Amino acid sequence: MQVKIIIGTIAFMLTMIIMGFAALREPARMGQFTDIREGRQVAVGAKIYKDQCATCHGEEGRAETCTDAGGNPIGCQGIPLNHAPLLCGDTSTRMETMGWDGTKFDFIKVVTAAGRGPIMPTWSERYGGPMRDDQVEDVTMFVLNWETEELCAEPEFVYEWPELAEDFLAQDDIEEGDPERGVELYDIGYGCTSCHGNLADPTSALVGPWLGELPEIGGTRVEGQDALQYTYESILYPNAYIVAECPTGPCASPSTMPAFDLRMGENPQDMADILAYLLNR
Ligand code: HEC
Ligand code: HEC
């Protein structure tokens, strides 16, 4: 009996000590709790992403390699999400060009919930999509989890695009454009096809203008620019000039076309090859 009381007392005191200790550590624990909750959201979001988003945005979110259900490579229809201009900074470059005032979380959540244009589907059941709010938030958390120090570090090297396309093409380290490589980059590498369709069929363009007539009309868009200069600038800086008519009506301003200056700067030869393909040079 005595022994039981002593054990009981010790156990009680221990409990109090542990609880007191826990109370002291409460703020830290709260932090951990948020981390755990966020961790869980990211994990659930990763699965949603893999099942619903990877076919268009790529397994790694880079819109570089996408596969169909059978594992065969297909052109990525989406744009990169694991992408510094979208994710880095409180107000990322993409938020700025799209004129978004709210938070980054909301930017990604709203596009995911409501969809955008004819290809990016609507996901939230609020707009007739298949997902609950918590699922939209989980996949948003997963996309945000790609914002890492590594992604957002100052790039060691930023390619300086010459102002004039002629100067760019005349550089020693740029080889003559290869249209066959260009078509692959257009279809698969950069997924231009998903928005602009293929050059053979004017009705294949869904989001952006059909580019089959670019050699003829490219030189009529901006005063003082021939088709080459115009196409070069359109790829690097879509907002420099916004085309009037898109397949579903007036083209949106700011442009929904992502700027390719950073991404293509990693392989500038791609520009020469795409230009060769688009302009039959
Ligand atoms: C059928 C292809 C497709 C699927 C599936 C798809 N997307 Fe997209 N997504 C697109 C396209 C195309 C765009 C660009 C739309 C535009 O700007 O016109 C886009 C744009 C976005 C953007 C905006 C990025 C930016 O820089 O403005 C986000 C965020 C996004 N998608 C998230 C998702 C998430 C999350 C999923 C899965 C739940 C998903 N997408 C599934 C095709 C797709
Ligand atoms: C997310 C959809 C999307 C993707 C991906 C995309 N574009 Fe665009 N593009 C557009 C839209 C929308 C416009 C029209 C608005 C504007 O002027 O920016 C456009 C405009 C253009 C124009 C000007 C066309 C004209 O008729 O004057 C060119 C050239 C162009 N894009 C080339 C490309 C190339 C090359 C790629 C791939 C490296 C590409 N685009 C990827 C949506 C896209």
Side-chain angles (χ1 to χ4, degrees):
M1 189 64 189
Q2 278 264 335
V3 176
K4 271 195 186 158
I5 289 172
I6 292 169
I7 291 177
T9 311
I10 292 174
F12 177 74
M13 283 169 68
L14 270 178
T15 311
M16 291 310 284
I17 290 168
I18 290 168
M19 277 174 63
F21 187 64
L24 280 177
R25 282 181 26 100
E26 192 60 13
R29 239 169 43 95
M30 290 285 283
Q32 265 173 19
F33 179 72
T34 322
D35 287 353
I36 290 169
R37 207 187 62 176
E38 285 180 1
R40 237 179 250 144
Q41 283 190 295
V42 170
V44 175
K47 167 107 177 68
I48 298 175
Y49 182 85
K50 193 165 181 288
D51 294 345
Q52 312 285 5
C53 321
T55 44
C56 289
H57 290 285
E59 191 96 9
E60 304 286 324
R62 296 184 192 279
E64 279 167 2
T65 41
C66 296
T67 49
D68 63 16
N72 308 304
I74 49 171
C76 293
Q77 287 190 287
I79 55 181
L81 302 178
N82 182 355
H83 194 45
L86 173 64
L87 294 180
C88 298
D90 286 343
T91 305
S92 68
T93 315
R94 182 71 171 161
M95 288 159 71
E96 217 164 283
T97 42
M98 300 294 276
W100 181 263
D101 274 341
T103 63
K104 202 178 339 177
F105 179 86
D106 284 342
F107 178 67
I108 291 169
K109 184 179 141 181
V110 165
V111 181
T112 304
R116 194 200 282 150
I119 304 177
M120 168 65 188
T122 295
W123 292 101
S124 167
E125 51 188 23
R126 289 172 188 270
Y127 307 100
M131 284 192 206
R132 295 186 312 265
D133 285 350
D134 59 299
Q135 293 173 312
V136 172
E137 290 185 2
D138 290 346
V139 75
T140 298
M141 289 299 289
F142 176 69
V143 170
L144 285 173
N145 126 88
W146 278 317
E147 180 191 354
T148 58
E149 263 175 45
E150 195 191 345
L151 181 76
C152 300
E154 284 291 319
E156 278 168 33
F157 167 79
V158 175
Y159 185 76
E160 297 259 348
W161 293 97
E163 200 172 312
L164 297 179
E166 288 292 354
D167 293 347
F168 164 73
L169 291 174
Q171 294 172 114
D172 290 342
D173 51 353
I174 299 295
E175 287 168 28
E176 192 177 329
D178 172 357
E180 279 173 29
R181 198 171 164 266
V183 66
E184 268 170 42
L185 294 166
Y186 186 81
D187 281 347
I188 307 267
Y190 292 96
C192 316
T193 313
S194 65
C195 291
H196 289 288
N198 64 67
L199 295 196
D201 176 7
T203 64
S204 62
L206 298 178
V207 179
W210 182 58
L211 301 182
E213 287 174 323
L214 209 52
E216 293 79 49
I217 58 171
T220 66
R221 295 283 200 220
V222 177
E223 194 156 354
Q225 289 187 355
D226 61 7
L228 172 66
Q229 182 65 22
Y230 172 73
T231 306
Y232 177 76
E233 284 196 24
S234 297
I235 296 171
L236 296 178
Y237 319 112
N239 279 301
Y241 170 83
I242 308 253
V243 183
E245 284 302 319
C246 276
T248 50
C251 299
S253 177
S255 179
T256 51
M257 173 164 159
F260 286 93
D261 54 343
L262 285 180
R263 208 172 144 199
M264 231 176 252
E266 290 169 19
N267 286 299
Q269 181 63 38
D270 293 355
M271 172 65 93
D273 296 343
I274 289 179
L275 289 172
Y277 170 60
L278 288 177
L279 301 173
N280 328 307
R281 303 179 93 247

